[in-house]
Amino acid sequence: MKEGKDEEAASGLGGSANGDGDGNSHHIIDGAISLDRDSQLQRGLKSRHIQFLALGGAIGTGLFVGSGGILHVVGPAPLWLAYLSMMAVVWIVMNIIAEMTTYLPMKGITLPYFTGRYVDPSLAFAAGWNYWYAYAILVAAEASAGAILLEYWDTPVPTAAWLTIILGVNLLLNIIAVEVFGEAEFWFASIKLITILGLIMVGLVIMLGGGPNHHRIGFLYWQDPGAWKEYVATGSAGRFLAYWTAFVRAGFSFITSPELIGLAAGETVAPRRNLPKAARRFLGRLAIFYGVSTLIIGVIVPSDDPNLLSAESNANASPWVIGIQRAGIGGLNHVINAAILTSAWSAGNAFLYSGSRVLYSMAAAGQAPAVFARTSRRGVPYAAVLVTWLFSLLAYLNVSSGGAKAFAWFSNLSTISGFIAWIVVMVTYLRFRAAMDFRGLLHTLPYRTPLQPYATWVVLGIVGLLTITNGFQVFAPFSYQDFLAAYITLPAFAVLYLGHKLWFRTPWARSVQDIDVLTGKKEMDELCADDVEPVPKNWVQRVWFWVA
């Protein structure tokens, strides 16, 4: 009997009904997930909002700055192919997250909640802390990128001061101004999208000779210095390793972006209509932003440009700024650098918000110290915000290690945490699908994605290989610092998982017949039955409904 109670406490699963004194009951599961109808109706995010959130999370310094480091190391062809490959991986991850959350879009859900419900509470515990760690590291990574960008103007302000300003504003926005957080992020994300669209157009102009120097470069830099730079080995092996290295490093640009749609599911209006819509549109829009922009980056900047992000260079690190300078366009480089800096600031702010909310949810579910569930009078989980922010102070390593080196460290750490999170999500989906199949309920899924479950098995293998081989270059020659950055996350995750399992003596995995795929379904069916899809009255509305 004790073990059963321990498992329930460990997982947070199981429902409770709390009366409100008027005979109405409020059903709470997992300590924080509400099934109360009044709570479910408090939804404010529309389809365009969650699409904006996901795109805003995907478009950050990984594209604006990190892509320059990849270009410098492996050349333009592996850079472009790697981002195309990673987009295919992200599409599958996005699909399965949308499939699960569309089925049960309950208020307050998190992906670790589904892991605990469909797989194992110990895996959910480790996944939750892994998410928090990844978000906290990403705050530091974005601050490091911001410091690199600020060095472009060669100001007398020391790096430590810039880091203090960036992190300080992030803390203030998360603790004091939560009520304007969504509005601030909307405008930050708007700047990101406008910037990348403008950069794509400017890049095409430069490529075709429309710049002040009227130099039609075309694909000149793919010929000299070349499309591929061999990496670690020579010949075809060196070219493949160049692509694989770019594939691993491209993951940083997409880490946590598919999850944003899942996290927003409980706040979305008409979730079973808008979540699938957002998931379907995500890949197409991502292809424009990443597929086109990474191709253009490799066209307008040679891979041997000394200003690209590398161990020898901190300034001028954005390949976009470098390309604009090389074309002789004056003034625009400062505008673009400022816009990219805003992007880094915005992303760090959003990651601090997300990390603190993950920690708060874990505390509410009994998987983190209860102190992190404390909130201020305005509802701000101040303890969770503060501890997440304190962890991000690792960005000050930037002062001694050099901006590019610190950025590479944080990128690697957060990328592997993200890969682990995706592996857990895919395992969770496979168990969810197995349980639905066992109960003969697959036909009831409101949103079914193509190629499943086979695509998930394939991508699970690919992401597993990426995780295991992400640091292969540290062995030629061996570097213990790089080895730790590449692999320390794996034993840390194992310690969390096995430690929780030994302490609570949870089973290795829930049997298929014991997986609960029904709790909450009735309430979600009733909620979504009230949804009436808007009918366009004219061609303008028809276009708008299709876009948004």
Side-chain angles (χ1 to χ4, degrees), residues 506-526:
T506 60
W508 287 107
R510 300 185 188 279
S511 59
V512 174
Q513 60 266 29
D514 292 335
I515 294 175
D516 177 15
V517 292
L518 296 177
T519 299
K521 183 179 185 300
K522 176 177 177 290
E523 290 82 357
M524 294 303 101
D525 288 345
E526 292 174 352

mmCIF file with all atom_site columns, all heavy atoms in Angstrom, residues 506-526:
data_model
loop_
_atom_site.group_PDB
_atom_site.id
_atom_site.type_symbol
_atom_site.label_atom_id
_atom_site.label_alt_id
_atom_site.label_comp_id
_atom_site.label_asym_id
_atom_site.label_entity_id
_atom_site.label_seq_id
_atom_site.pdbx_PDB_ins_code
_atom_site.Cartn_x
_atom_site.Cartn_y
_atom_site.Cartn_z
_atom_site.occupancy
_atom_site.B_iso_or_equiv
_atom_site.pdbx_formal_charge
_atom_site.auth_seq_id
_atom_site.auth_comp_id
_atom_site.auth_asym_id
_atom_site.auth_atom_id
_atom_site.pdbx_PDB_model_num
ATOM 1   N N   . THR A 1 506 ? 9.367   3.220  -8.167  1.00 0.00 ? 506 THR A N   1
ATOM 2   C CA  . THR A 1 506 ? 8.349   3.199  -9.214  1.00 0.00 ? 506 THR A CA  1
ATOM 3   C C   . THR A 1 506 ? 8.648   2.092  -10.214 1.00 0.00 ? 506 THR A C   1
ATOM 4   O O   . THR A 1 506 ? 9.811   1.695  -10.387 1.00 0.00 ? 506 THR A O   1
ATOM 5   C CB  . THR A 1 506 ? 8.315   4.554  -9.951  1.00 0.00 ? 506 THR A CB  1
ATOM 6   O OG1 . THR A 1 506 ? 9.598   4.806  -10.538 1.00 0.00 ? 506 THR A OG1 1
ATOM 7   C CG2 . THR A 1 506 ? 7.977   5.675  -8.997  1.00 0.00 ? 506 THR A CG2 1
ATOM 8   N N   . PRO A 1 507 ? 7.642   1.571  -10.909 1.00 0.00 ? 507 PRO A N   1
ATOM 9   C CA  . PRO A 1 507 ? 7.886   0.544  -11.938 1.00 0.00 ? 507 PRO A CA  1
ATOM 10  C C   . PRO A 1 507 ? 8.658   1.149  -13.104 1.00 0.00 ? 507 PRO A C   1
ATOM 11  O O   . PRO A 1 507 ? 8.671   2.363  -13.308 1.00 0.00 ? 507 PRO A O   1
ATOM 12  C CB  . PRO A 1 507 ? 6.475   0.125  -12.356 1.00 0.00 ? 507 PRO A CB  1
ATOM 13  C CG  . PRO A 1 507 ? 5.616   1.286  -12.007 1.00 0.00 ? 507 PRO A CG  1
ATOM 14  C CD  . PRO A 1 507 ? 6.213   1.896  -10.776 1.00 0.00 ? 507 PRO A CD  1
ATOM 15  N N   . TRP A 1 508 ? 9.307   0.293  -13.892 1.00 0.00 ? 508 TRP A N   1
ATOM 16  C CA  . TRP A 1 508 ? 10.108  0.793  -15.008 1.00 0.00 ? 508 TRP A CA  1
ATOM 17  C C   . TRP A 1 508 ? 9.253   1.499  -16.035 1.00 0.00 ? 508 TRP A C   1
ATOM 18  O O   . TRP A 1 508 ? 9.678   2.472  -16.655 1.00 0.00 ? 508 TRP A O   1
ATOM 19  C CB  . TRP A 1 508 ? 10.891  -0.354 -15.647 1.00 0.00 ? 508 TRP A CB  1
ATOM 20  C CG  . TRP A 1 508 ? 12.039  -0.803 -14.791 1.00 0.00 ? 508 TRP A CG  1
ATOM 21  C CD1 . TRP A 1 508 ? 12.119  -1.960 -14.070 1.00 0.00 ? 508 TRP A CD1 1
ATOM 22  C CD2 . TRP A 1 508 ? 13.247  -0.079 -14.541 1.00 0.00 ? 508 TRP A CD2 1
ATOM 23  N NE1 . TRP A 1 508 ? 13.313  -2.007 -13.382 1.00 0.00 ? 508 TRP A NE1 1
ATOM 24  C CE2 . TRP A 1 508 ? 14.027  -0.875 -13.660 1.00 0.00 ? 508 TRP A CE2 1
ATOM 25  C CE3 . TRP A 1 508 ? 13.753  1.143  -14.972 1.00 0.00 ? 508 TRP A CE3 1
ATOM 26  C CZ2 . TRP A 1 508 ? 15.280  -0.474 -13.199 1.00 0.00 ? 508 TRP A CZ2 1
ATOM 27  C CZ3 . TRP A 1 508 ? 14.999  1.543  -14.518 1.00 0.00 ? 508 TRP A CZ3 1
ATOM 28  C CH2 . TRP A 1 508 ? 15.754  0.750  -13.642 1.00 0.00 ? 508 TRP A CH2 1
ATOM 29  N N   . ALA A 1 509 ? 8.051   1.020  -16.229 1.00 0.00 ? 509 ALA A N   1
ATOM 30  C CA  . ALA A 1 509 ? 7.133   1.678  -17.169 1.00 0.00 ? 509 ALA A CA  1
ATOM 31  C C   . ALA A 1 509 ? 5.720   1.197  -16.886 1.00 0.00 ? 509 ALA A C   1
ATOM 32  O O   . ALA A 1 509 ? 5.522   0.069  -16.425 1.00 0.00 ? 509 ALA A O   1
ATOM 33  C CB  . ALA A 1 509 ? 7.511   1.372  -18.614 1.00 0.00 ? 509 ALA A CB  1
ATOM 34  N N   . ARG A 1 510 ? 4.753   2.052  -17.127 1.00 0.00 ? 510 ARG A N   1
ATOM 35  C CA  . ARG A 1 510 ? 3.373   1.638  -16.957 1.00 0.00 ? 510 ARG A CA  1
ATOM 36  C C   . ARG A 1 510 ? 3.019   0.630  -18.051 1.00 0.00 ? 510 ARG A C   1
ATOM 37  O O   . ARG A 1 510 ? 3.360   0.829  -19.216 1.00 0.00 ? 510 ARG A O   1
ATOM 38  C CB  . ARG A 1 510 ? 2.436   2.848  -17.062 1.00 0.00 ? 510 ARG A CB  1
ATOM 39  C CG  . ARG A 1 510 ? 2.694   3.917  -16.017 1.00 0.00 ? 510 ARG A CG  1
ATOM 40  C CD  . ARG A 1 510 ? 1.648   5.026  -16.120 1.00 0.00 ? 510 ARG A CD  1
ATOM 41  N NE  . ARG A 1 510 ? 1.987   6.148  -15.258 1.00 0.00 ? 510 ARG A NE  1
ATOM 42  C CZ  . ARG A 1 510 ? 1.747   6.196  -13.950 1.00 0.00 ? 510 ARG A CZ  1
ATOM 43  N NH1 . ARG A 1 510 ? 1.141   5.161  -13.371 1.00 0.00 ? 510 ARG A NH1 1
ATOM 44  N NH2 . ARG A 1 510 ? 2.085   7.244  -13.229 1.00 0.00 ? 510 ARG A NH2 1
ATOM 45  N N   . SER A 1 511 ? 2.326   -0.439 -17.688 1.00 0.00 ? 511 SER A N   1
ATOM 46  C CA  . SER A 1 511 ? 1.876   -1.398 -18.695 1.00 0.00 ? 511 SER A CA  1
ATOM 47  C C   . SER A 1 511 ? 0.812   -0.732 -19.563 1.00 0.00 ? 511 SER A C   1
ATOM 48  O O   . SER A 1 511 ? 0.128   0.195  -19.134 1.00 0.00 ? 511 SER A O   1
ATOM 49  C CB  . SER A 1 511 ? 1.311   -2.649 -18.025 1.00 0.00 ? 511 SER A CB  1
ATOM 50  O OG  . SER A 1 511 ? 0.220   -2.321 -17.187 1.00 0.00 ? 511 SER A OG  1
ATOM 51  N N   . VAL A 1 512 ? 0.687   -1.206 -20.783 1.00 0.00 ? 512 VAL A N   1
ATOM 52  C CA  . VAL A 1 512 ? -0.234  -0.577 -21.730 1.00 0.00 ? 512 VAL A CA  1
ATOM 53  C C   . VAL A 1 512 ? -1.652  -0.530 -21.177 1.00 0.00 ? 512 VAL A C   1
ATOM 54  O O   . VAL A 1 512 ? -2.351  0.485  -21.309 1.00 0.00 ? 512 VAL A O   1
ATOM 55  C CB  . VAL A 1 512 ? -0.205  -1.325 -23.087 1.00 0.00 ? 512 VAL A CB  1
ATOM 56  C CG1 . VAL A 1 512 ? -1.265  -0.781 -24.023 1.00 0.00 ? 512 VAL A CG1 1
ATOM 57  C CG2 . VAL A 1 512 ? 1.162   -1.213 -23.728 1.00 0.00 ? 512 VAL A CG2 1
ATOM 58  N N   . GLN A 1 513 ? -2.086  -1.609 -20.542 1.00 0.00 ? 513 GLN A N   1
ATOM 59  C CA  . GLN A 1 513 ? -3.452  -1.649 -20.036 1.00 0.00 ? 513 GLN A CA  1
ATOM 60  C C   . GLN A 1 513 ? -3.678  -0.700 -18.861 1.00 0.00 ? 513 GLN A C   1
ATOM 61  O O   . GLN A 1 513 ? -4.827  -0.354 -18.538 1.00 0.00 ? 513 GLN A O   1
ATOM 62  C CB  . GLN A 1 513 ? -3.859  -3.075 -19.632 1.00 0.00 ? 513 GLN A CB  1
ATOM 63  C CG  . GLN A 1 513 ? -2.995  -3.694 -18.545 1.00 0.00 ? 513 GLN A CG  1
ATOM 64  C CD  . GLN A 1 513 ? -1.864  -4.520 -19.138 1.00 0.00 ? 513 GLN A CD  1
ATOM 65  O OE1 . GLN A 1 513 ? -1.401  -4.220 -20.240 1.00 0.00 ? 513 GLN A OE1 1
ATOM 66  N NE2 . GLN A 1 513 ? -1.436  -5.531 -18.400 1.00 0.00 ? 513 GLN A NE2 1
ATOM 67  N N   . ASP A 1 514 ? -2.590  -0.255 -18.208 1.00 0.00 ? 514 ASP A N   1
ATOM 68  C CA  . ASP A 1 514 ? -2.720  0.658  -17.067 1.00 0.00 ? 514 ASP A CA  1
ATOM 69  C C   . ASP A 1 514 ? -2.558  2.124  -17.450 1.00 0.00 ? 514 ASP A C   1
ATOM 70  O O   . ASP A 1 514 ? -2.712  3.008  -16.600 1.00 0.00 ? 514 ASP A O   1
ATOM 71  C CB  . ASP A 1 514 ? -1.673  0.311  -15.997 1.00 0.00 ? 514 ASP A CB  1
ATOM 72  C CG  . ASP A 1 514 ? -1.953  -1.030 -15.335 1.00 0.00 ? 514 ASP A CG  1
ATOM 73  O OD1 . ASP A 1 514 ? -3.126  -1.441 -15.325 1.00 0.00 ? 514 ASP A OD1 1
ATOM 74  O OD2 . ASP A 1 514 ? -0.993  -1.654 -14.838 1.00 0.00 ? 514 ASP A OD2 1
ATOM 75  N N   . ILE A 1 515 ? -2.212  2.409  -18.699 1.00 0.00 ? 515 ILE A N   1
ATOM 76  C CA  . ILE A 1 515 ? -2.041  3.806  -19.127 1.00 0.00 ? 515 ILE A CA  1
ATOM 77  C C   . ILE A 1 515 ? -3.412  4.471  -19.242 1.00 0.00 ? 515 ILE A C   1
ATOM 78  O O   . ILE A 1 515 ? -4.308  3.967  -19.921 1.00 0.00 ? 515 ILE A O   1
ATOM 79  C CB  . ILE A 1 515 ? -1.293  3.879  -20.472 1.00 0.00 ? 515 ILE A CB  1
ATOM 80  C CG1 . ILE A 1 515 ? 0.140   3.366  -20.308 1.00 0.00 ? 515 ILE A CG1 1
ATOM 81  C CG2 . ILE A 1 515 ? -1.272  5.312  -20.995 1.00 0.00 ? 515 ILE A CG2 1
ATOM 82  C CD1 . ILE A 1 515 ? 0.919   3.300  -21.615 1.00 0.00 ? 515 ILE A CD1 1
ATOM 83  N N   . ASP A 1 516 ? -3.552  5.610  -18.575 1.00 0.00 ? 516 ASP A N   1
ATOM 84  C CA  . ASP A 1 516 ? -4.823  6.329  -18.540 1.00 0.00 ? 516 ASP A CA  1
ATOM 85  C C   . ASP A 1 516 ? -4.904  7.315  -19.705 1.00 0.00 ? 516 ASP A C   1
ATOM 86  O O   . ASP A 1 516 ? -4.208  8.327  -19.726 1.00 0.00 ? 516 ASP A O   1
ATOM 87  C CB  . ASP A 1 516 ? -4.948  7.077  -17.211 1.00 0.00 ? 516 ASP A CB  1
ATOM 88  C CG  . ASP A 1 516 ? -6.222  7.907  -17.121 1.00 0.00 ? 516 ASP A CG  1
ATOM 89  O OD1 . ASP A 1 516 ? -7.125  7.689  -17.954 1.00 0.00 ? 516 ASP A OD1 1
ATOM 90  O OD2 . ASP A 1 516 ? -6.302  8.765  -16.218 1.00 0.00 ? 516 ASP A OD2 1
ATOM 91  N N   . VAL A 1 517 ? -5.744  6.992  -20.674 1.00 0.00 ? 517 VAL A N   1
ATOM 92  C CA  . VAL A 1 517 ? -5.953  7.902  -21.803 1.00 0.00 ? 517 VAL A CA  1
ATOM 93  C C   . VAL A 1 517 ? -7.373  8.459  -21.801 1.00 0.00 ? 517 VAL A C   1
ATOM 94  O O   . VAL A 1 517 ? -7.813  9.050  -22.792 1.00 0.00 ? 517 VAL A O   1
ATOM 95  C CB  . VAL A 1 517 ? -5.681  7.190  -23.156 1.00 0.00 ? 517 VAL A CB  1
ATOM 96  C CG1 . VAL A 1 517 ? -4.220  6.852  -23.304 1.00 0.00 ? 517 VAL A CG1 1
ATOM 97  C CG2 . VAL A 1 517 ? -6.557  5.946  -23.297 1.00 0.00 ? 517 VAL A CG2 1
ATOM 98  N N   . LEU A 1 518 ? -8.092  8.282  -20.676 1.00 0.00 ? 518 LEU A N   1
ATOM 99  C CA  . LEU A 1 518 ? -9.490  8.688  -20.620 1.00 0.00 ? 518 LEU A CA  1
ATOM 100 C C   . LEU A 1 518 ? -9.767  9.865  -19.697 1.00 0.00 ? 518 LEU A C   1
ATOM 101 O O   . LEU A 1 518 ? -10.670 10.659 -19.965 1.00 0.00 ? 518 LEU A O   1
ATOM 102 C CB  . LEU A 1 518 ? -10.361 7.495  -20.197 1.00 0.00 ? 518 LEU A CB  1
ATOM 103 C CG  . LEU A 1 518 ? -10.372 6.306  -21.171 1.00 0.00 ? 518 LEU A CG  1
ATOM 104 C CD1 . LEU A 1 518 ? -11.195 5.162  -20.612 1.00 0.00 ? 518 LEU A CD1 1
ATOM 105 C CD2 . LEU A 1 518 ? -10.900 6.734  -22.531 1.00 0.00 ? 518 LEU A CD2 1
ATOM 106 N N   . THR A 1 519 ? -9.009  10.000 -18.597 1.00 0.00 ? 519 THR A N   1
ATOM 107 C CA  . THR A 1 519 ? -9.257  11.099 -17.671 1.00 0.00 ? 519 THR A CA  1
ATOM 108 C C   . THR A 1 519 ? -9.108  12.441 -18.377 1.00 0.00 ? 519 THR A C   1
ATOM 109 O O   . THR A 1 519 ? -8.070  12.731 -18.970 1.00 0.00 ? 519 THR A O   1
ATOM 110 C CB  . THR A 1 519 ? -8.279  11.038 -16.475 1.00 0.00 ? 519 THR A CB  1
ATOM 111 O OG1 . THR A 1 519 ? -8.472  9.814  -15.775 1.00 0.00 ? 519 THR A OG1 1
ATOM 112 C CG2 . THR A 1 519 ? -8.524  12.210 -15.529 1.00 0.00 ? 519 THR A CG2 1
ATOM 113 N N   . GLY A 1 520 ? -10.144 13.231 -18.317 1.00 0.00 ? 520 GLY A N   1
ATOM 114 C CA  . GLY A 1 520 ? -10.126 14.549 -18.951 1.00 0.00 ? 520 GLY A CA  1
ATOM 115 C C   . GLY A 1 520 ? -10.720 14.572 -20.350 1.00 0.00 ? 520 GLY A C   1
ATOM 116 O O   . GLY A 1 520 ? -11.039 15.646 -20.866 1.00 0.00 ? 520 GLY A O   1
ATOM 117 N N   . LYS A 1 521 ? -10.852 13.399 -20.978 1.00 0.00 ? 521 LYS A N   1
ATOM 118 C CA  . LYS A 1 521 ? -11.357 13.368 -22.363 1.00 0.00 ? 521 LYS A CA  1
ATOM 119 C C   . LYS A 1 521 ? -12.797 13.869 -22.441 1.00 0.00 ? 521 LYS A C   1
ATOM 120 O O   . LYS A 1 521 ? -13.149 14.638 -23.341 1.00 0.00 ? 521 LYS A O   1
ATOM 121 C CB  . LYS A 1 521 ? -11.262 11.948 -22.927 1.00 0.00 ? 521 LYS A CB  1
ATOM 122 C CG  . LYS A 1 521 ? -11.716 11.855 -24.392 1.00 0.00 ? 521 LYS A CG  1
ATOM 123 C CD  . LYS A 1 521 ? -11.578 10.448 -24.933 1.00 0.00 ? 521 LYS A CD  1
ATOM 124 C CE  . LYS A 1 521 ? -11.912 10.396 -26.420 1.00 0.00 ? 521 LYS A CE  1
ATOM 125 N NZ  . LYS A 1 521 ? -13.290 10.824 -26.716 1.00 0.00 ? 521 LYS A NZ  1
ATOM 126 N N   . LYS A 1 522 ? -13.630 13.449 -21.491 1.00 0.00 ? 522 LYS A N   1
ATOM 127 C CA  . LYS A 1 522 ? -15.036 13.868 -21.503 1.00 0.00 ? 522 LYS A CA  1
ATOM 128 C C   . LYS A 1 522 ? -15.138 15.386 -21.397 1.00 0.00 ? 522 LYS A C   1
ATOM 129 O O   . LYS A 1 522 ? -15.892 16.029 -22.147 1.00 0.00 ? 522 LYS A O   1
ATOM 130 C CB  . LYS A 1 522 ? -15.772 13.198 -20.338 1.00 0.00 ? 522 LYS A CB  1
ATOM 131 C CG  . LYS A 1 522 ? -17.227 13.635 -20.183 1.00 0.00 ? 522 LYS A CG  1
ATOM 132 C CD  . LYS A 1 522 ? -17.880 12.859 -19.043 1.00 0.00 ? 522 LYS A CD  1
ATOM 133 C CE  . LYS A 1 522 ? -19.316 13.322 -18.808 1.00 0.00 ? 522 LYS A CE  1
ATOM 134 N NZ  . LYS A 1 522 ? -19.356 14.698 -18.235 1.00 0.00 ? 522 LYS A NZ  1
ATOM 135 N N   . GLU A 1 523 ? -14.369 15.960 -20.485 1.00 0.00 ? 523 GLU A N   1
ATOM 136 C CA  . GLU A 1 523 ? -14.418 17.415 -20.299 1.00 0.00 ? 523 GLU A CA  1
ATOM 137 C C   . GLU A 1 523 ? -13.918 18.155 -21.534 1.00 0.00 ? 523 GLU A C   1
ATOM 138 O O   . GLU A 1 523 ? -14.472 19.189 -21.931 1.00 0.00 ? 523 GLU A O   1
ATOM 139 C CB  . GLU A 1 523 ? -13.589 17.822 -19.076 1.00 0.00 ? 523 GLU A CB  1
ATOM 140 C CG  . GLU A 1 523 ? -14.183 17.417 -17.743 1.00 0.00 ? 523 GLU A CG  1
ATOM 141 C CD  . GLU A 1 523 ? -13.894 15.968 -17.354 1.00 0.00 ? 523 GLU A CD  1
ATOM 142 O OE1 . GLU A 1 523 ? -13.271 15.240 -18.170 1.00 0.00 ? 523 GLU A OE1 1
ATOM 143 O OE2 . GLU A 1 523 ? -14.270 15.565 -16.251 1.00 0.00 ? 523 GLU A OE2 1
ATOM 144 N N   . MET A 1 524 ? -12.868 17.637 -22.164 1.00 0.00 ? 524 MET A N   1
ATOM 145 C CA  . MET A 1 524 ? -12.330 18.285 -23.363 1.00 0.00 ? 524 MET A CA  1
ATOM 146 C C   . MET A 1 524 ? -13.287 18.130 -24.555 1.00 0.00 ? 524 MET A C   1
ATOM 147 O O   . MET A 1 524 ? -13.425 19.041 -25.369 1.00 0.00 ? 524 MET A O   1
ATOM 148 C CB  . MET A 1 524 ? -10.961 17.705 -23.711 1.00 0.00 ? 524 MET A CB  1
ATOM 149 C CG  . MET A 1 524 ? -9.863  17.989 -22.686 1.00 0.00 ? 524 MET A CG  1
ATOM 150 S SD  . MET A 1 524 ? -9.614  19.756 -22.381 1.00 0.00 ? 524 MET A SD  1
ATOM 151 C CE  . MET A 1 524 ? -10.511 19.965 -20.828 1.00 0.00 ? 524 MET A CE  1
ATOM 152 N N   . ASP A 1 525 ? -13.946 16.969 -24.632 1.00 0.00 ? 525 ASP A N   1
ATOM 153 C CA  . ASP A 1 525 ? -14.939 16.785 -25.694 1.00 0.00 ? 525 ASP A CA  1
ATOM 154 C C   . ASP A 1 525 ? -16.075 17.793 -25.550 1.00 0.00 ? 525 ASP A C   1
ATOM 155 O O   . ASP A 1 525 ? -16.536 18.377 -26.538 1.00 0.00 ? 525 ASP A O   1
ATOM 156 C CB  . ASP A 1 525 ? -15.506 15.362 -25.654 1.00 0.00 ? 525 ASP A CB  1
ATOM 157 C CG  . ASP A 1 525 ? -14.499 14.321 -26.128 1.00 0.00 ? 525 ASP A CG  1
ATOM 158 O OD1 . ASP A 1 525 ? -13.491 14.710 -26.744 1.00 0.00 ? 525 ASP A OD1 1
ATOM 159 O OD2 . ASP A 1 525 ? -14.726 13.124 -25.871 1.00 0.00 ? 525 ASP A OD2 1
ATOM 160 N N   . GLU A 1 526 ? -16.519 18.007 -24.309 1.00 0.00 ? 526 GLU A N   1
ATOM 161 C CA  . GLU A 1 526 ? -17.611 18.951 -24.066 1.00 0.00 ? 526 GLU A CA  1
ATOM 162 C C   . GLU A 1 526 ? -17.161 20.385 -24.367 1.00 0.00 ? 526 GLU A C   1
ATOM 163 O O   . GLU A 1 526 ? -17.930 21.178 -24.928 1.00 0.00 ? 526 GLU A O   1
ATOM 164 C CB  . GLU A 1 526 ? -18.083 18.830 -22.618 1.00 0.00 ? 526 GLU A CB  1
ATOM 165 C CG  . GLU A 1 526 ? -18.773 17.516 -22.309 1.00 0.00 ? 526 GLU A CG  1
ATOM 166 C CD  . GLU A 1 526 ? -19.093 17.354 -20.832 1.00 0.00 ? 526 GLU A CD  1
ATOM 167 O OE1 . GLU A 1 526 ? -18.624 18.209 -20.038 1.00 0.00 ? 526 GLU A OE1 1
ATOM 168 O OE2 . GLU A 1 526 ? -19.785 16.386 -20.471 1.00 0.00 ? 526 GLU A OE2 1
#
